[in-house]
């Protein structure tokens, strides 16, 4: 039981390793390995797994096997398998592959939007209107990710009003959930709370999720700070898969094992089996030929061998 009245008693963890994590890998990861990873995560009890990305293989070659992966995974009843869909072509592929949720994205930083996709924030979100309408027409969940919500590699500080504006635009598209993402991992606890509360002014708090990168080692602190203001959905990546392309050598997504260990210590229910996630993390790390980035996962795995 969680005895701290100011913290949620239960949280949802969205596992993003199979998509957001693996897409950054330089060496090709086979569809069979991806399927095994998703299946292990399904068995561990996740209610939402980001499993695929239907983008051009030219831009993200690691995700070229997404159709194959979605066709071969063993789907656990009650688990939502999400896919990133940048346009209608991607949406049609995700729909055909049986995705239960499609993910769209936009930046809170005007500079980031211009540098990365050569258009304004408003233009980028307008491009998602047909995807959003199609998702709703086909009964799929619609999730949006707001990148650079705490800082931008090009413009530095990102105004909280800009974050709230993008959240409101995504809300108006009919999104069921909106991710507030610390893309470059620069957030700290007090800033995190301020941004989350500002976002909650534009969208319901129980639909806001925290997506933190651990570049500066602040991800767990930021998750705890988010819990304190009522956020109860968080993204994480098994074994800390994923990197930050803007900080060479820096870690990327916060590790799922570390988040689960934190929640376990706080008495917050997740419905996820930590030991099974540790096993999944060890599996994918071995496949990638390196030690996993989860400190809790590595410590728990080492304890078994002691």
């Amino acid at each position: 039981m969680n005895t701290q009245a100011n913290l949620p008693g239960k949280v949802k963890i969205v596992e993003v390793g199979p998509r957001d994590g693996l897409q950054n890998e330089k060496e090709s990861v086979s569809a069979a390995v991806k399927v095994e990873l998703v299946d292990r995560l399904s068995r561990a009890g996740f209610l939402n797994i980001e499993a695929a990305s239907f983008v051009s293989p030219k831009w993200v070659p690691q995700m070229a096997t997404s159709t194959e992966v979605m066709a071969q995974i063993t789907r656990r009843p009650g688990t939502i398998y999400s896919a990133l869909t940048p346009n209608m072509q991607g949406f049609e592929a995700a729909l055909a592959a049986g995705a239960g949720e499609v993910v769209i994205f936009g930046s809170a930083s005007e500079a980031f939007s211009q540098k990365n996709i050569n258009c304004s924030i408003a233009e980028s979100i307008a491009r998602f209107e047909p995807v959003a309408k199609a998702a709703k027409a086909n009964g799929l969940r619609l999730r949006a990710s707001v990148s650079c919500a705490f800082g931008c590699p090009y413009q530095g500080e990102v105004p909280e009003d800009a974050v709230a504006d993008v959240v409101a635009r995504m809300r108006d598209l009919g999104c069921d959930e909106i991710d507030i993402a610390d893309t470059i991992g620069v957030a700290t606890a007090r800033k995190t709370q301020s941004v989350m509360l500002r976002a909650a002014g534009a969208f319901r708090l129980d639909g806001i999720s925290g997506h933190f990168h651990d570049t500066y080692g602040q991800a767990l602190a930021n998750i705890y700070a988010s819990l304190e203001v009522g956020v109860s959905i968080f993204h994480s990546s098994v074994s800390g898969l994923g990197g930050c392309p803007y900080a060479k050598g820096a870690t990327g997504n916060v590790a799922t094992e570390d988040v689960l260990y934190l929640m376990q210590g706080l008495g917050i229910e997740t419905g996820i089996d930590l030991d099974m996630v540790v096993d999944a993390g060890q599996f994918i790390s071995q496949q990638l030929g390196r030690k996993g980035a989860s400190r809790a996962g590595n410590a728990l795995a080492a304890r078994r061998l002691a």
Side-chain angles (χ1 to χ4, degrees):
M1 286 288 290
N2 174 28
T3 57
Q4 301 179 65
N6 62 322
L7 300 183
K10 183 177 183 178
V11 299
K12 181 173 89 168
I13 307 295
V14 179
E15 173 56 56
V16 302
R19 198 285 297 176
D20 196 22
L22 288 181
Q23 74 173 12
N24 289 297
E25 292 296 323
K26 298 284 191 293
E27 300 297 320
S28 179
V29 180
S30 72
V33 167
K34 293 173 188 172
V35 168
E36 174 69 15
L37 177 61
V38 173
D39 285 352
R40 283 173 176 262
L41 295 167
S42 293
R43 292 195 294 269
F46 288 94
L47 294 180
N48 195 322
I49 300 173
E50 203 168 274
S53 178
F54 291 98
V55 298
S56 169
K58 175 184 174 183
W59 301 114
V60 188
Q62 195 65 256
M63 292 290 105
T65 55
S66 286
T67 297
E68 195 177 342
V69 170
M70 291 292 279
Q72 293 180 18
I73 57 174
T74 301
R75 296 174 186 248
R76 176 173 168 261
T79 295
I80 297 167
Y81 298 90
S82 309
L84 192 74
T85 54
N87 49 38
M88 279 304 295
Q89 184 177 353
F91 172 80
E92 295 293 349
L95 180 65
E101 176 181 72
V102 294
V103 184
I104 59 177
F105 49 90
S107 176
S109 160
E110 197 65 61
F112 189 88
S113 187
Q114 293 287 355
K115 289 258 188 185
N116 279 267
I117 52 179
N118 299 310
C119 69
S120 69
I121 293 171
E123 288 170 330
S124 71
I125 294 172
R127 292 178 183 177
F128 284 118
E129 287 181 9
V131 175
K133 288 178 181 175
K136 292 300 170 183
N138 286 277
L140 300 186
R141 279 186 104 249
L142 178 66
R143 175 157 61 84
S145 184
V146 180
S147 62
C148 294
F150 299 89
C152 170
Y154 305 116
Q155 76 178 52
E157 286 288 317
V158 174
E160 291 182 15
D161 282 351
V163 177
D165 179 65
V166 177
V167 169
R169 290 171 186 266
M170 294 300 194
R171 174 201 67 207
D172 291 345
L173 288 181
C175 289
D176 298 287
E177 216 165 275
I178 300 176
D179 318 329
I180 309 300
D182 185 13
T183 308
I184 56 173
V186 294
T188 52
R190 186 167 292 175
K191 175 69 170 176
T192 292
Q193 291 184 334
S194 183
V195 171
M196 288 299 186
L197 290 172
R198 188 73 181 85
F203 191 65
R204 65 182 197 283
L205 185 59
D206 65 0
I208 288 175
S209 56
H211 181 115
F212 295 102
H213 284 224
D214 206 29
T215 313
Y216 291 85
Q218 301 299 298
L220 288 179
N222 294 334
I223 287 172
Y224 188 86
S226 299
L227 287 168
E228 289 189 317
V229 295
V231 176
S232 59
I233 309 171
F234 298 97
H235 294 192
S236 61
S237 180
V238 63
S239 194
L241 290 175
C244 180
Y246 313 108
K248 194 172 182 181
T251 53
N253 294 297
V254 65
T256 304
E257 299 94 319
D258 297 356
V259 177
L260 292 173
Y261 188 77
L262 171 67
M263 297 302 171
Q264 191 176 81
L266 292 170
I268 296 175
E269 183 186 341
T270 65
I272 298 163
D273 187 314
L274 175 56
D275 287 334
M276 293 179 76
V277 177
V278 170
D279 288 341
Q282 296 296 304
F283 162 77
I284 192 61
S285 297
Q286 289 165 7
Q287 295 297 319
L288 297 174
R290 63 172 186 263
K291 188 176 181 179
S294 167
R295 297 174 83 168
N298 291 336
L300 290 167
R303 185 191 296 176
R304 295 175 183 173
L305 302 174

